[in-house]
Amino acid sequence: MKLENRIKHELIRLLLQNRSHFLSGEEMSKQIGCSRMAIWKHIEELRKAGYEIEAKPRSGYRLQVNPDRVSAAEVSAYLTTKRLGQHITYLDTTTSTQTVAHEWAKEGAPEGAIVIADNQTAGRGRLGRNWFSPKSAGIWFSLILRPQIDLQAATQLTLLMSVAVRQAIQKATGLSPHIKWPNDLLINEKKICGILTELRGEQDQIHYVVVGMGMNVNTPYTMFPSELQNQASSLAIETGHQMDRAPLIATLLAEIEALYDEYLTDGFLPIKLKWEAGAGMLGERITARTAKNTVSGIATGLSSEGALLIQCDEKTIPIYSAEIEV
Ligand code: BTN
């Protein structure tokens, strides 16, 4: 990172982490390893960028209001994770964070690296759909993982992600989203978050997995295209207030890391139980449209591998990939 960027990055982190008290210019210059003049210059630049920073003679600086930004400096100020999010690529705008993450993974990005964008011009959803990702309205990121698991077990990671997102939303808002198989998060029957898992591997070995997360955070109802207004919602709509996205990304990563560690040591069973507890459709009649046929019956849970089980007449049918109608 260039020196100027590093000073800015560290300054934002210090201000966010010490908002309850004043920090002197001298203290900050010592911690960052730069001159007090450089601190003063960067404080002025941050003010121009929308940070409201109070200055008090003989006390120093204190952050009062910060803009809702999701660059590496803001996100890393809130991180509590050991591995996830330690390497962040932030882009104001990009086509799709998935595309950037695939490139980075091929070049050797470490496990836990993430690509975050404020805006995507060609966001991708499941089944070749577009993903609506307007500027500054949501969380659009792709996480690179390198799990030592069988290729077939990768669907379990997708299910793990939906449990992690549900837990993160519960912690951050108090709301309890339902999981729609495999990994949509719904509040009041409307989609808040979608997850796209893509991987590269051969034979039985996974090279890397890219988990894409799209969460509607501050999107107002009127911003959604009309065809989405009946089926999508945002945390701001459901809670009645706007939320800062950087601490929410940190909460998401903390929940993902805890579950991922549990999964790597204890296997899929604990995740399966949590997924089933959060699923909104178990015990209900559903229709699953797979590439080959359509199955209707009662959703009863997950198999030990992660397939959705549908009770149909006397038979239990496992579904691995389908569109679901409840
Ligand atoms: C779905 O269809 O429900 C999955 C949507 C996944 C969207 C996210 S946004 C960040 C990442 N980049 C993309 O282009 N897609 C994923």
Side-chain angles (χ1 to χ4, degrees), residues 35-46:
S35 67
R36 286 173 66 179
M37 190 62 196
I39 297 288
W40 179 83
K41 192 188 107 195
H42 281 277
I43 292 271
E44 286 310 306
E45 277 179 17
L46 290 180

Side-chain angles (χ1 to χ4, degrees), residues 310-326:
I310 301 185
Q311 183 77 34
C312 185
D313 302 326
E314 296 298 283
K315 282 186 293 189
T316 300
I317 301 176
I319 300 288
Y320 294 90
S321 171
E323 270 291 271
I324 300 290
E325 244 171 59
V326 182

Side-chain angles (χ1 to χ4, degrees), residues 23 29 37-38 52 80-81 84 101 123 128 152 181 267 278:
L23 269 187
S29 67
M37 190 62 196
E52 288 176 29
T80 57
T81 44
L84 306 195
Q152 299 87 317
W181 192 84

Side-chain angles (χ1 to χ4, degrees), residues 96-98 120 122-126 131 140-142 184 191 194-196 212-214:
S96 158
T97 55
Q98 292 293 100
Q120 292 187 121
R124 299 207 294 268
R126 285 178 62 237
W131 182 259
W140 330 123
F141 78 68
S142 299
D184 286 351
K191 185 156 161 177
I195 301 161
L196 175 67
M213 185 99 37

Side-chain angles (χ1 to χ4, degrees), residues 183-194:
N183 55 3
D184 286 351
L185 275 299
L186 312 183
I187 299 181
N188 294 324
E189 310 300 319
K190 289 185 170 183
K191 185 156 161 177
I192 294 283
C193 179

